[in-house]
Every structure is written in C-alpha cells, then in structure tokens.
C-alpha cells in the first residue's frame, strides 16, 4: 500500500508562513524524487518545488526565494516551508513521488488559503 499523506495546510494572512508535510509509506523513499504541486480552481496543476534523492532542488519562479523544500529520509517525509505568503499562493497543494519507469504517486492534497 502506497500512501502520501499531506498535512499543515490552513488559513494564513498575507506575509505569514506555513510548513507543509508529506509522509510517505509503501515506497523506497530514498529512490524517489519528491515534489509539491498546487492547483487553484480553474487552473492547471503546477509544480511548486521538487527535490531528488540526493537533495538537488528545483523551484517555480513564483516560489524561489520564499519557499524551501526539504526531505528527511529517516522519517520518509518531505516538507515545504512557505514564507512571505501571498494571496496568489492560495491553492490545494499536492505531494508527488516519482521515479523513472514507474507511475507517479499523489497525495490527497491539503488546502492553503492566504487571505486577510
């Protein structure tokens, strides 16, 4: 059984911070590139940040400088630290796990609302 369980979403004011967590089970975590995606209503799902098994990272331009992705292989968990949040960051955030020659896995999503 493969599971990706996100947590940490919620309501926050502009300029505030949240830390999202994604706990993975049923996979060899160290072999997977982990990512955070987000999707707002009426919009396409987009990559926010990704981190490889050797901790190389990539960020969307909108996230760079504000968000930090990290992983704790001992806990099979990937995090997304989101600082200086903007209203444009409002979306459902999804955890993703992928490796070559295999289907990706997705979490159920966690809602982030940035509003005053």
């Amino acid at each position: 059984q493969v599971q990706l369980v996100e947590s940490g979403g919620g309501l926050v004011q502009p300029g505030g911070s949240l830390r999202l967590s994604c706990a993975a089970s049923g996979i060899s975590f160290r072999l997977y590139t982990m990512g955070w995606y987000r999707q707002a209503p009426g919009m396409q799902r987009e990559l926010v940040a990704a981190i490889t098994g050797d901790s190389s990272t990539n960020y969307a331009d909108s996230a760079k400088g504000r968000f930090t992705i990290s992983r704790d292989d001992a806990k099979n968990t990937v995090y997304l630290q989101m600082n200086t949040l903007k209203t444009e960051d409002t979306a459902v955030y999804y955890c993703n796990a992928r490796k070559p020659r295999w289907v990706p896995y997705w979490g159920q999503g966690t809602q982030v609302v940035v509003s005053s």
Side-chain angles (χ1 to χ4, degrees):
Q1 298 181 7
V2 176
Q3 283 192 302
L4 303 176
V5 181
E6 302 101 329
S7 61
L11 174 65
V12 65
Q13 293 184 349
S17 298
L18 286 173
R19 190 180 76 156
L20 307 183
S21 299
C22 172
S25 60
I27 63 172
S28 299
F29 187 79
R30 293 177 183 267
L31 301 179
Y32 282 78
T33 292
M34 304 298 298
W36 287 97
Y37 292 71
R38 68 186 181 189
Q39 187 169 25
M43 306 293 286
Q44 292 188 350
R45 188 172 298 186
E46 63 177 355
L47 176 69
V48 178
I51 183 166
T52 66
D54 62 1
S55 295
S56 178
T57 59
N58 285 310
Y59 295 92
D61 288 343
S62 61
K64 189 175 180 62
R66 299 188 299 126
F67 294 2
T68 303
I69 189 170
S70 61
R71 63 192 294 154
D72 187 338
D73 290 342
K75 297 181 179 180
N76 288 356
T77 300
V78 62
Y79 304 94
L80 185 68
Q81 178 67 46
M82 304 188 294
N83 298 325
T84 320
L85 283 161
K86 305 174 181 179
T87 57
E88 306 95 277
D89 297 317
T90 297
V92 177
Y93 284 70
Y94 296 91
C95 182
N96 170 271
R98 60 180 174 86
K99 68 174 181 178
R101 301 174 298 279
W102 201 248
V103 295
Y105 299 105
W106 293 93
Q108 82 288 348
T110 185
Q111 177 71 244
V112 171
V113 177
V114 184
S115 177
S116 59

